[in-house]
Amino acid sequence: MRGRVASLLMSTHAADPLAALGALPGVPEVVDSVRKAVDRVYGHRVMRRRSNEISSEAALRGARGSAALAGADWALEEVRRRSDFGVDAEARTVGAALRLGAEAGQLLSIWRQSPLRVLARLHLVAAGDAGESVGRPRQDGEAVDEPLIEAPLPSADEVVGRLEGLADLIVAGTSAPAVVTAAVVHGELLALRPFTSYNGLVARAAERIVLIGSGLDPKAICPSEVGHAEVGRAAYVAAFEGYRSGTPEGMARWIAHCGRAVELGVRESTAVCEALQRGAA
């Protein structure tokens, strides 16, 4: 990996650079708060017999949230009832988010062995076609359609190098908490925007894969995308700028933002559990 963020990650001689991020000021408290929130929703009595329904609803709401950040801010019931997602740009964005939500759980076993293969698959699923730029890192001169993140684009060579570095970290494994690893994967993909389209959707889907595959959220009931959307696009971009700065303070701010997104996703699924318990859903 290269760049300011990479320099921070590699600033320690430890074999596990992500673990150092888990010790940044304020991060242990974030990790503890997220763990307690997740434990509470997993302990809800509805989870003992209706966890599949909670997972399905979380996937739907997560897709809606991710699409909203990408500029397609549809009401939940509109997402639920629609079946045609190819009419216009917003519909295609919502369709891409829904497909990614459905695909993420199928890629868990591959992620730890081949993260780059998973990222390529995520982009292919999001794009939904076989265009020549789909499923591979962008090349210099190719336009990138990312409506939310306007930071300067790294060169194609830097993209390849940093993707390989990120993959190496994932394959090597880490003792860092899941929230930290997920935040780094999410932030690095936003920074790189490695594909010509749907980078934000792919980054948030990859974050979700880390959270599920790490064991923090094995039943996929804590949709962080809901939280990212709830705090709003401006707060999301501002927190990302902290990641992009590569400073310890900026990284801690981004990790805290991502942790808060998980907690808000927990709150959403807790509300679904309560509605099911009342017989209102």
Side-chain angles (χ1 to χ4, degrees), residues 1-256:
M1 298 173 73
R2 297 193 292 273
R4 284 173 290 180
V5 172
S7 297
L8 177 64
L9 292 177
M10 299 307 180
S11 63
T12 173
H13 295 294
D16 186 359
L18 291 181
L21 298 180
L24 290 174
V27 171
E29 291 80 4
V30 169
V31 170
D32 183 59
S33 180
V34 170
R35 177 76 268 176
K36 288 177 179 176
V38 172
D39 286 347
R40 283 195 297 271
V41 72
Y42 269 83
H44 198 287
R45 65 175 60 188
V46 169
M47 284 295 296
R48 291 197 294 269
R49 49 195 171 80
R50 304 183 72 173
S51 63
N52 288 341
E53 292 175 69
I54 307 301
S55 298
S56 296
E57 190 66 19
L60 180 72
R61 293 174 186 232
R64 194 217 73 82
S66 193
L69 284 171
D73 192 0
W74 289 13
L76 179 62
E77 292 310 313
E78 177 71 3
V79 177
R80 196 189 302 279
R81 76 171 184 81
R82 283 283 289 268
S83 58
D84 180 5
F85 296 100
V87 177
D88 53 36
E90 284 197 8
R92 289 192 294 273
T93 295
V94 174
L98 287 168
R99 291 192 298 273
L100 285 172
E103 186 76 6
Q106 311 303 314
L107 299 172
L108 297 175
S109 62
I110 306 172
W111 174 254
R112 281 295 302 274
Q113 286 74 41
S114 184
L116 297 183
R117 181 179 164 195
V118 170
L119 294 175
R121 174 63 183 170
L122 289 175
H123 187 240
L124 180 63
V125 167
D129 59 47
E132 63 176 33
S133 66
V134 172
R136 62 155 175 80
R138 58 181 169 78
Q139 299 172 359
D140 282 331
E142 288 185 319
V144 173
D145 180 15
E146 178 49 55
L148 186 56
I149 304 302
E150 298 179 353
L153 283 169
S155 70
D157 285 345
E158 184 175 352
V159 166
V160 171
R162 287 172 64 175
L163 280 178
E164 290 176 351
L166 181 64
D168 288 345
L169 289 175
I170 299 301
V171 171
T174 178
S175 63
V179 170
V180 172
T181 304
V184 169
V185 168
H186 184 170
E188 190 69 356
L189 292 174
L190 280 185
L192 295 177
R193 280 147 292 160
F195 304 111
T196 57
S197 59
Y198 297 116
N199 287 288
L201 296 182
V202 168
R204 292 183 286 275
E207 178 186 49
R208 191 87 183 279
I209 287 173
V210 174
L211 294 171
I212 298 168
S214 68
L216 177 67
D217 181 23
K219 294 185 178 180
I221 63 167
C222 306
S224 56
E225 306 97 323
V226 168
H228 288 303
E230 184 170 334
V231 298
R233 288 159 63 97
Y236 181 79
V237 172
F240 166 67
E241 285 301 315
Y243 178 88
R244 203 170 71 86
S245 75
T247 65
E249 297 80 10
M251 292 292 285
R253 189 162 65 250
W254 172 247
I255 293 167

